[in-house]
Amino acid sequence: MSVQERKQRERAERERLIVATARELAEQQGWDAVTTRRLAERIEYSQPVLYSHFRGKREIIGAVALEGATEMAAAIRAATAAADGPRARVTALARTYLDFAAHNPAVYDALFQLDGGLAFAHEDTPEPLKDAFAALLESLGEVAGDGVHPGVFTETFWAALHGLATLTRAGRLPPEYAEQRVELLVDRLAVV
């Protein structure tokens, strides 16, 4: 291994450490607790080293969001692959999405609430975000219904899931009706 390859590997490892530490700190204490000073202390590198990887917190949030999008897409695909039939796939998708939001609140916020400097629904949208949407579209496109654009249906269903996730996390929806909400969403929106 050349010196250059070793340096690139070490740089990539430091970057993964920064992202993992930011994510861990955000999950434990919220994104307000994630500062470059605290990250530098936790990873035992100087702030200039941190800034050599990310220009600031916004880029760190973006990196966490991209990592989260990859994880969410994988979780959705695994859940829908194990389901039998369109209705079961859409139900599995909805449950998995809501579970991901509930169990990864800081990552979910990085993806959909905070400014991570990422473009959505544009030509320059990063591939992990496009893939996460594709994971939704794969199951939702088949239940959009006649004459309904599959992408628009997926956006609408996703918006409903996002609303449920956000309102549930904020304590605005009683938890005892969570399953009923999923069933209602699937029954009323999806043509299965």
Side-chain angles (χ1 to χ4, degrees):
M1 173 181 294
S2 73
V3 172
Q4 182 65 19
E5 290 172 327
R6 181 183 54 79
K7 285 183 178 185
Q8 288 175 338
R9 188 187 74 235
E10 289 171 355
R11 180 173 177 76
E13 288 171 7
R14 272 193 312 272
E15 193 166 298
R16 280 191 295 276
L17 177 62
I18 293 166
V19 171
T21 304
R23 182 175 175 168
E24 179 184 317
L25 187 57
E27 291 292 1
Q28 292 171 353
Q29 300 176 30
W31 279 104
D32 287 341
V34 179
T35 64
T36 54
R37 184 183 59 75
R38 288 185 82 188
L39 283 174
E41 288 172 3
R42 283 214 175 180
I43 64 171
E44 298 178 344
Y45 284 102
S46 68
Q47 284 183 332
V49 169
L50 203 132
Y51 282 117
S52 74
H53 291 274
F54 299 98
R55 285 182 284 207
K57 183 175 175 177
R58 181 179 188 220
E59 284 190 5
I60 294 168
I61 290 169
V64 170
L66 293 176
E67 186 177 271
T70 299
E71 292 170 10
M72 186 172 68
I76 287 171
R77 285 190 174 107
T80 57
D84 187 27
R87 185 180 201 299
R89 278 190 290 280
V90 174
T91 301
L93 178 150
R95 287 180 182 140
T96 301
Y97 183 97
L98 294 171
D99 286 347
F100 184 88
H103 293 100
N104 303 282
V107 173
Y108 192 82
D109 286 347
L111 270 165
F112 303 120
Q113 303 290 101
L114 302 173
D115 179 9
L118 304 173
F120 283 78
H122 291 277
E123 288 295 318
D124 59 344
T125 297
E127 199 55 43
L129 299 179
K130 289 179 180 178
D131 189 54
F133 185 79
L136 297 172
L137 182 62
E138 289 162 12
S139 292
L140 294 172
E142 70 179 321
V143 297
D146 293 336
V148 178
H149 186 282
V152 172
F153 178 78
T154 300
E155 291 168 347
T156 303
F157 199 92
W158 171 30
L161 286 173
H162 176 69
L164 288 175
T166 303
L167 291 170
T168 299
R169 279 188 49 212
R172 303 291 199 276
L173 298 175
E176 63 268 19
Y177 297 114
E179 187 58 31
Q180 188 176 351
R181 285 186 203 97
V182 168
E183 294 298 322
L184 185 61
L185 185 60
V186 172
D187 289 343
R188 300 303 164 111
L189 283 184
V191 178
V192 286

